[in-house]
Amino acid sequence: MDDELKAIQDDLDNVLERLGKYLNRGQYGFLYPSPRRRTYEYKPTAPYSPAAWILDGPYTSPREDAARVIFQYACAHQRKKSIHYTNMAQAIFDVSCIRGKREQRTKELTEKHGEDLGHLLAAMDSMANHRLHPLETRHIQLLGFAADAYLRKEVEYFGQNFELQLNSKREVDRKASQRRLAVLTVFNKHRHDPGRYPIGEALFELAGEPFGMSASVVKRAYYAPGMQQELVRLGTKMDELETLHPSGAGNAGLNRGEEVTGE
């Protein structure tokens, strides 16, 4: 290792240690203290039982917590359409909130589905709702275990070793993503030119045309329970983005359709 890289490594180690100690003072309640370990019941009689080590909650350290905060801070600075942090405290707060939401969601899912399946579903939920934040160590372990079993053809489908059930064909909504994109088309066109594109049948018809949807289908999706609240949240985010990046956030909502599902 050359002298320059060694100096960078020393600086990085120093930053991780200092930030870790700062976080470990306990003023950020959702950042896990260190060490942290949870042990879940192992069920050797289950039809598809995960390995025992999977059911042990991981240790987290101040260094790992610090690395998560740095990742959050760095990624926001490199993504043009993400909120640009003005100080490290904002990144710490976001990490704290995300981990708190994950913890609450894990609790809900394990209470409903049991330890094994509940934790796998929590890992999948974290991937779906917090795409830009690293998964927890236990999430990576669980998803990796499920993937390995599938690739080795030990199970028929992903998650079977955790007793994950296939979605019924009658319940599968294959056009959900297209309806969401149509709703975003309505949202974007009205937002950027409300005079030309007022909310109404003509706009619903225009938005649905590329997807072969009628105006009534798009209208129902636009006014579906919870959608208006999600669009308000999206509008607030876009206001923030356009303030920070006035030339680059024009089509943020349409390009980032996942925002409608919220976190």
Side-chain angles (χ1 to χ4, degrees):
M1 187 187 307
D2 60 40
D3 292 342
E4 182 178 4
L5 185 57
K6 180 62 167 61
I8 294 172
Q9 176 181 308
D10 291 341
D11 289 341
L12 178 59
D13 286 337
N14 181 261
V15 168
L16 288 171
E17 181 179 359
R18 290 173 57 200
L19 182 56
K21 288 181 178 179
Y22 177 82
L23 297 175
N24 204 39
R25 293 175 185 172
Q27 63 189 95
Y28 298 99
F30 289 141
L31 283 171
Y32 302 149
S34 176
R36 178 179 185 273
R37 187 177 181 83
R38 287 187 172 183
T39 301
Y40 303 107
E41 181 184 356
Y42 178 47
K43 303 173 183 177
T45 58
Y48 299 97
S49 185
W53 62 269
I54 282 290
L55 300 179
D56 288 332
Y59 286 95
T60 62
S61 66
R63 185 183 181 92
E64 178 184 344
D65 291 338
R68 287 180 178 278
V69 170
I70 291 173
F71 179 89
Q72 186 80 10
Y73 181 81
C75 284
H77 275 67
Q78 73 183 28
R79 290 178 58 86
K80 293 182 180 179
K81 293 179 181 178
S82 293
I83 294 175
H84 191 99
Y85 291 118
T86 58
N87 60 70
M88 183 69 75
Q90 293 175 319
I92 294 173
F93 177 79
D94 283 351
V95 172
S96 299
C97 290
I98 290 170
R99 299 188 90 177
K101 290 177 182 178
R102 283 178 171 174
E103 186 72 2
Q104 180 60 37
R105 188 62 175 149
T106 298
K107 180 180 178 182
E108 294 170 357
L109 290 169
T110 53
E111 288 177 352
K112 182 176 180 180
H113 299 283
E115 297 289 355
D116 298 358
L117 179 57
H119 280 86
L120 179 66
L121 291 172
M124 296 168 67
D125 183 81
S126 290
M127 291 179 65
N129 293 319
H130 305 287
R131 296 172 181 81
L132 301 182
H133 187 76
L135 292 175
E136 305 296 329
T137 302
R138 67 177 181 274
H139 295 155
I140 297 172
Q141 291 174 335
L142 290 164
L143 292 167
F145 187 83
D148 183 66
Y150 175 79
L151 293 173
R152 291 177 180 273
K153 301 187 186 304
E154 296 173 357
V155 295
E156 295 180 69
Y157 56 88
F158 182 88
Q160 186 178 10
N161 50 330
F162 287 84
E163 301 183 17
L164 181 67
Q165 300 297 310
L166 285 173
N167 289 325
S168 169
K169 289 184 178 180
R170 291 177 297 178
E171 297 175 336
V172 172
D173 186 353
R174 301 187 185 279
K175 291 191 174 182
S177 61
Q178 292 180 333
R179 288 199 303 275
R180 186 177 301 117
L181 287 174
V183 167
L184 282 173
T185 300
V186 172
F187 171 83
N188 275 279
K189 287 187 175 296
H190 177 70
R191 175 183 172 85
H192 295 297
D193 196 344
R196 182 179 179 185
Y197 298 108
I199 298 296
E201 295 297 318
L203 181 54
F204 292 137
E205 183 176 359
L206 177 65
E209 185 176 356
F211 308 104
M213 296 178 185
S214 67
S216 60
V217 169
V218 178
K219 181 178 180 179
R220 284 196 299 271
Y222 184 80
Y223 290 110
M227 180 58 72
Q228 291 301 300
Q229 293 89 329
E230 296 296 343
L231 292 177
V232 169
R233 290 174 56 190
L234 177 57
T236 300
K237 288 184 179 182
M238 291 183 67
D239 287 341
E240 295 172 347
L241 294 174
E242 289 174 355
T243 299
L244 295 169
H245 307 284
S247 63
N251 293 317
L254 186 58
N255 293 334
R256 298 176 64 201
E258 71 274 11
E259 294 287 3
V260 173
T261 61
E263 292 188 354

